């Protein structure tokens, strides 16, 4: 029997259906692997992608970047090489055919490890692009992704096999056009790499007040150049990016801890709980208490 993309998609679908029945975000014992199952289309909501590859097993998604709207399905994938704010909604899902997807996050160490082995064999990088890349799914990429998901049923193999398969997935990505996309944020020494450095600095200190002039100086850019290139890549300003990080961290805290919204506001760097509540509702569609209530909290 000839193995094709549909064969692997069906296997992934069977694994998800055999283990998960409700609508949920599903952490796994495999470091970096998360699975999602959703039975209804969703509204467009704000999110922040980590360095990762996102694969749809069944259904479809729409992703908004600034004024652009991108759709993808099981025959394509989304690649993020930096922490990247976006808007996303599940476009195709039903009770009979729920949306199923997975995300595999990467560390910078894993990416550098593959780049080191590849050496200098790469194409010219060109001008910096937006921080998300949409590629066509390839059999040679979906096959190791499926082997990674199979480890859910082989817990004794996880610690040894996971880093090897992650490296293979990254190797396949690096050998395709997605590799050029990743390199521009890591290796070229130009504006894309400097924006990536600025994003890392904001992420590491997102609770602290942000001085854009100092941030620009720390990555060897002028303030105007940083602002221009930051917005070109992320579609938002550095201050807006910090706001995204604060609000997403706040939402995670509210979902996993028994804590008041006002306390969370201070924890993530807000000085005014009322401002926090307004901006939270603007981003997630509901004020903190009502939003978290949807998840049974």
């Amino acid at each position: 029997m000839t193995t094709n993309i549909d064969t692997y998609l069906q296997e992934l679908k069977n694994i998800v259906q055999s283990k998960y029945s409700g609508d949920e975000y599903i952490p796994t014992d495999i470091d970096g692997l998360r699975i999602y199952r959703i039975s209804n289309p969703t509204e467009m909501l704000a999110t922040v992608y980590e360095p990762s590859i996102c694969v749809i097993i069944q259904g479809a998604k729409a992703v908004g970047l600034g004024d652009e709207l991108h759709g993808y399905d099981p025959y394509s994938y989304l690649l993020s090489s930096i922490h990247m704010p976006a808007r996303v909604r599940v476009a195709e899902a039903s009770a009979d055919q729920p949306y199923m997807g997975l995300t595999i996050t990467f560390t910078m160490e894993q990416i550098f490890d593959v780049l080191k082995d590849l050496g200098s064999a790469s194409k010219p990088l060109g001008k910096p692009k937006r921080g998300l890349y949409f590629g066509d799914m390839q059999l040679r990429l979906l096959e190791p992704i499926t082997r990674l998901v199979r480890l859910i049923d082989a817990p004794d193999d996880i610690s040894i096999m996971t880093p090897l398969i992650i490296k293979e997935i990254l190797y396949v990505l690096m050998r395709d056009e997605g590799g050029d996309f990743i390199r521009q944020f890591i290796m070229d020494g130009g504006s894309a790499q400097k924006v990536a450095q600025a994003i890392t600095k904001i992420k590491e200190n997102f609770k602290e007040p942000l001085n854009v002039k100092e941030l620009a100086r720390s990555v060897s850019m002028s303030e105007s150049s940083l602002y221009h290139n930051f917005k070109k890549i992320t579609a938002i300003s550095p201050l807006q990016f910090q706001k995204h990080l604060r609000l997403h961290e706040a939402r995670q805290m509210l979902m996993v801890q028994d804590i008041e919204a006002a306390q969370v506001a201070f924890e993530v760097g807000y000085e005014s709980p009322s401002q926090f509540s307004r901006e939270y509702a603007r981003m997630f569609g509901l004020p903190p208490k009502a939003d978290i209530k949807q998840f049974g909290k």
Side-chain angles (χ1 to χ4, degrees), residues 5-14 56-57 74-75 142:
I5 286 177
D6 288 329
T7 302
Y8 285 116
L9 288 173
Q10 186 60 55
E11 180 179 351
L12 289 169
K13 195 183 308 180
N14 292 341
I56 294 177
I57 301 168
Y75 300 100
L142 191 58

Side-chain angles (χ1 to χ4, degrees), residues 197 201 213-221:
Q197 292 172 352
K201 290 177 182 292
K213 184 177 292 187
E214 290 182 2
L215 177 66
R217 189 183 301 116
S218 72
V219 297
S220 302
M221 297 182 83

Side-chain angles (χ1 to χ4, degrees), residues 4 27 36 71-72 86 123 141 151 177 194 200 210 239 267 272 275 281:
N4 55 32
Y36 303 85
Y72 76 111
K123 304 172 187 175
L141 175 60
L151 293 179
E177 289 185 5
K194 290 178 180 179
T200 298
L210 177 61
L239 286 168
E267 290 282 346
S272 166
Q275 181 188 3

Side-chain angles (χ1 to χ4, degrees), residues 1-276:
M1 183 181 71
T2 302
T3 302
N4 55 32
I5 286 177
D6 288 329
T7 302
Y8 285 116
L9 288 173
Q10 186 60 55
E11 180 179 351
L12 289 169
K13 195 183 308 180
N14 292 341
I15 293 173
V16 175
Q17 288 176 328
S18 70
K19 296 191 172 297
Y20 314 111
S21 57
D23 284 11
E24 50 191 332
Y25 146 68
I26 306 147
T28 70
D29 292 331
I30 301 168
D31 192 28
L33 175 65
R34 291 171 289 184
I35 295 173
Y36 303 85
R37 185 187 188 281
I38 302 170
S39 296
N40 296 289
T42 65
E43 298 295 325
M44 188 73 80
L45 293 174
T47 191
V48 176
Y49 285 101
E50 300 175 73
S52 59
I53 182 172
C54 302
V55 175
I56 294 177
I57 301 168
Q58 179 170 271
K61 267 187 173 180
V63 179
L65 290 171
D67 297 330
E68 303 170 6
L69 189 65
H70 302 265
Y72 76 111
D73 58 24
Y75 300 100
S76 53
Y77 65 88
L78 181 156
L79 181 63
S80 177
S81 61
I82 55 176
H83 284 80
M84 179 70 187
R87 306 182 316 282
V88 62
R89 73 179 179 91
V90 173
E92 293 181 15
S94 67
D96 292 336
Q97 293 189 312
Y99 168 86
M100 299 180 193
L102 62 88
T103 298
I104 303 168
T105 57
F106 307 120
T107 66
M108 286 299 105
E109 289 76 12
Q110 289 170 329
I111 294 172
F112 278 122
D113 189 38
V114 174
L115 286 171
K116 177 187 67 179
D117 289 346
L118 283 174
S120 59
S122 63
K123 304 172 187 175
L125 295 174
K127 295 181 179 179
K129 304 172 184 176
R130 284 281 167 86
L132 294 180
Y133 171 84
F134 295 86
D136 295 329
M137 181 55 70
Q138 305 289 331
L139 191 63
R140 62 177 184 161
L141 175 60
L142 191 58
E143 192 272 333
I145 290 172
T146 304
R147 280 192 278 111
L148 183 69
V149 176
R150 285 178 191 154
L151 293 179
I152 293 173
D153 291 321
D156 291 342
D157 297 338
I158 288 175
S159 62
I160 298 298
M161 295 304 299
T162 295
L164 299 176
I165 299 175
I166 292 284
K167 186 171 185 177
E168 181 179 353
I169 292 168
L170 276 168
Y171 174 81
V172 173
L173 288 170
M174 291 294 185
R175 297 286 291 181
D176 204 352
E177 289 185 5
D180 288 339
F181 167 77
I182 291 174
R183 287 183 187 92
Q184 73 170 338
F185 293 100
I186 295 176
M187 294 183 66
D188 74 340
S191 57
Q193 185 188 34
K194 290 178 180 179
V195 168
Q197 292 172 352
I199 285 173
T200 298
K201 290 177 182 292
I202 296 173
K203 183 178 180 295
E204 291 174 348
N205 302 284
F206 72 89
K207 299 178 184 180
E208 304 301 322
L210 177 61
N211 185 313
V212 179
K213 184 177 292 187
E214 290 182 2
L215 177 66
R217 189 183 301 116
S218 72
V219 297
S220 302
M221 297 182 83
S222 68
E223 186 175 356
S224 60
S225 179
L226 174 62
Y227 182 89
H228 171 76
N229 285 285
F230 199 102
K231 198 159 187 179
K232 184 176 182 179
I233 288 170
T234 68
I236 60 176
S237 70
L239 286 168
Q240 289 171 322
F241 180 72
Q242 182 193 50
K243 184 190 299 184
H244 274 70
L245 293 177
R246 285 179 169 182
L247 292 172
H248 279 277
E249 176 66 16
R251 197 182 200 204
Q252 289 299 311
M253 291 175 67
L254 287 165
M255 289 180 69
V256 302
Q257 300 180 35
D258 184 14
I259 187 170
E260 293 294 326
Q263 183 179 344
V264 169
F266 294 123
E267 290 282 346
V268 299
Y270 277 87
E271 296 181 358
S272 166
S274 60
Q275 181 188 3
F276 165 73

